[in-house]
Amino acid sequence: MLKTIRDLEVTGKRVLVRVDFNVPLDGEGNVADDTRIRAALPTIQYLLEKQARVILVSHLGRPKGKVDERYRLDPVARRLSELLGRPVVKVDDCIGDEPRRAVQEMQPGDVILLENVRFHPGEEKNEEKFARQLAELADVYVNDAFGTAHRAHASTEGVAHFLPAAAGFLMEKEINMLGQALSNPGRPFVAILGGAKVSDKIGVIENLLGKVNTLLIGGGMANTFLAARGLALGKSLVETDKVALAGDLINRAQKAGVKLLLPVDLVVARAAQPDAEPKVVPVDAVPEDWMALDIGPETVKNYVAEVRDAGTVIWNGPMGVFEMAPFAAGTFELARALAESKATTIVGGGDTAAAVEKAGVAGRMSHVSTGGGASLEFLEGKTLPGVAVLMDKK
Ligand code: ADP
Ligand code: MG
């Protein structure tokens, strides 16, 4: 069982909370998108109501183990303070004298934000000494950073060995939603897989083959499956070294009784450019110097029909190059079909989440995962190190 924040005694305690405040900054160094900050608010507010002393720790960007002025967390502290409507003390390091003194001065209900934890090389190396230094600042540890739970770093894994540890509300929701979908899905259980490459998603396909009723394949990866069926795809992105594997997956799906659908038509163009002239062709008629950049309308119709009658839908990977208007229809129409479906709908993957957002239907999904890489590893059936340390051994 996952231990959660409700299982911890936090009143008056110093609580170290690992959050995912890895947010985009704009040209002036302000927070450009505060989604991740807002996602951590329920946990922070719960701790404040319980009169805990809240010590937040996060990474930002890839400073590679040393101080990098571009990745200081001061703008995040300012935005968090606005959202909470109370002061947030920003500390310029995450271990050592300065945070120790700041923590000593804290009253119940105070919030401090430590400096970027990746300014120290011990973080990504998960050094025990560094993890202990983080742990020394607090009485208990809460991890609410699902987005980094697939990394065994000091602030996501190491520190949990030295303090009572539990999941925050965001972490709990992610694990419950993704876990429920995989272990106890509504039937029919439909997975939609797309994105650029088969090679990125092999683990996901293999894990889902044993669980789903229906697999809908789109995006660039569909080309490799179509190639395995013997079709010529012009200049489309095809991973020639994965064609045999795709053929094998088609056979395994058939043996497992999984209905695997491939595109029957495609949107093609001469180049992946926003001003390219698109046209729709059947899958066996891709012109030699054209490339497939979206699924076609017949395919959309087929996939929408599967989604409409589904009990649970998991979606990872866009159906086309949705970043460009001529190739966005497949992805957006499917997004709308999920929004309208009665199924439990779960969206994972950074670009898929962005696509659903762009389609304006993110709020109508049962769950849009905040963790790109972490949600993928979860769907692969892997144990996430940051989650494993939050499980009750009993
Ligand atoms: P996620 O981040 O949701 O896991 P991926 O990173 O696997 O998704 O894939 C997203 C990318 O796949 C998008 O940038 C999109 O442009 C690209 N893509 C989708 N379809 C195609 C295609 N037919 N050809 C080339 N690229 C594609
Ligand atoms: Mg991606």
Side-chain angles (χ1 to χ4, degrees):
M1 280 290 283
L2 187 70
K3 277 196 292 174
T4 79
I5 191 167
R6 290 183 219 85
D7 302 321
L8 292 176
E9 182 52 63
V10 295
T11 301
K13 296 275 173 62
R14 299 169 302 166
V15 185
L16 181 70
V17 188
R18 177 52 158 103
V19 286
D20 181 2
F21 285 170
N22 184 29
V23 295
L25 301 177
D26 65 17
E28 273 113 63
N30 292 313
V31 174
D33 179 350
D34 63 5
T35 308
R36 287 182 168 162
I37 304 176
R38 283 187 282 110
L41 291 179
T43 291
I44 297 170
Q45 269 152 350
Y46 171 88
L47 290 170
L48 293 176
E49 276 160 32
K50 295 271 177 189
Q51 291 293 300
R53 295 164 162 89
V54 181
I55 307 160
L56 302 168
V57 61
S58 178
H59 77 284
L60 175 65
R62 296 171 185 264
K64 305 251 168 72
K66 49 183 192 300
V67 175
D68 185 330
E69 295 301 326
R70 290 171 302 171
Y71 298 127
R72 288 200 179 275
L73 282 166
D74 299 66
V76 175
R78 284 197 295 276
R79 185 74 193 111
L80 175 63
S81 173
E82 287 166 13
L83 290 168
L84 285 174
R86 63 166 81 207
V88 171
V89 175
K90 164 67 185 20
V91 184
D92 292 332
D93 202 345
C94 64
I95 55 165
D97 288 339
E98 202 189 330
R100 201 176 305 131
R101 242 176 306 173
V103 169
Q104 265 162 17
E105 282 169 21
M106 289 179 89
Q107 300 299 316
D110 282 354
V111 182
I112 69 173
L113 175 61
L114 303 177
E115 187 55 277
N116 194 336
V117 71
R118 288 193 189 166
F119 283 180
H120 290 270
E123 165 65 359
E124 289 182 79
K125 290 186 190 145
N126 197 7
E127 272 172 17
E128 181 177 329
K129 181 173 171 224
F130 182 70
R132 280 186 191 276
Q133 285 173 301
L134 285 173
E136 276 164 16
L137 296 172
D139 305 301
V140 297
Y141 167 73
V142 169
N143 189 352
D144 215 19
F146 177 74
T148 42
H150 58 313
R151 306 274 181 241
H153 292 169
S155 70
T156 62
E157 199 273 346
V159 67
H161 297 287
F162 307 115
L163 291 173
F169 292 115
L170 175 62
M171 176 75 86
E172 182 190 20
K173 183 174 180 226
E174 292 272 8
I175 302 297
N176 283 349
M177 293 304 293
L178 296 169
Q180 266 282 324
L182 290 185
S183 64
N184 191 20
R187 301 284 172 179
F189 181 13
V190 177
I192 310 167
L193 296 177
K197 296 193 284 179
V198 185
S199 47
D200 292 341
K201 308 286 165 79
I202 295 167
V204 177
I205 301 173
E206 292 191 328
N207 188 42
L208 292 180
L209 267 185
K211 301 181 190 300
V212 299
N213 302 100
T214 308
L215 203 50
L216 312 176
I217 307 275
M221 78 152 77
N223 300 331
T224 304
F225 280 88
L226 293 169
R229 284 263 165 91
L231 294 162
L233 286 137
K235 283 198 299 176
S236 305
L237 172 74
V238 174
E239 289 172 274
T240 42
D241 61 330
K242 294 288 179 292
V243 173
L245 173 78
D248 180 47
L249 291 169
I250 291 172
N251 291 337
R252 278 157 66 185
Q254 197 176 7
K255 281 204 196 97
V258 172
K259 182 171 171 188
L260 185 145
L261 297 191
L262 294 176
V264 295
D265 57 351
L266 298 162
V267 177
V268 297
R270 287 184 194 276
Q273 270 158 12
D275 58 354
E277 187 114 12
K279 68 175 179 184
V280 175
V281 297
V283 282
D284 59 0
V286 178
E288 218 171 282
D289 52 351
W290 290 57
M291 56 178 79
L293 295 165
D294 194 10
I295 56 174
E298 275 304 311
T299 308
V300 170
K301 217 184 284 171
N302 295 344
Y303 289 8
V304 166
E306 298 295 333
V307 165
R308 199 184 295 127
D309 298 328
T312 294
V313 182
I314 284 186
W315 183 11
N316 172 270
M319 295 292 98
V321 182
F322 73 95
E323 298 91 338
M324 300 178 192
F327 317 114
T331 301
F332 288 176
E333 283 186 38
L334 212 55
R336 283 191 284 273
L338 260 73
E340 276 152 28
S341 166
K342 285 195 200 69
T344 301
T345 48
I346 312 245
V347 176
D351 291 297
T352 317
V356 167
E357 190 74 50
K358 212 170 158 196
V361 293
R364 291 166 67 193
M365 303 296 158
S366 307
H367 183 63
V368 180
S369 179
T370 56
S375 67
L376 262 189
E377 292 201 14
F378 197 100
L379 296 181
E380 288 173 8
K382 287 189 186 153
T383 304
L384 311 185
V387 176
V389 285
L390 307 178
M391 300 309 253
D392 209 335
K393 309 285 179 301
K394 280 170 283 177

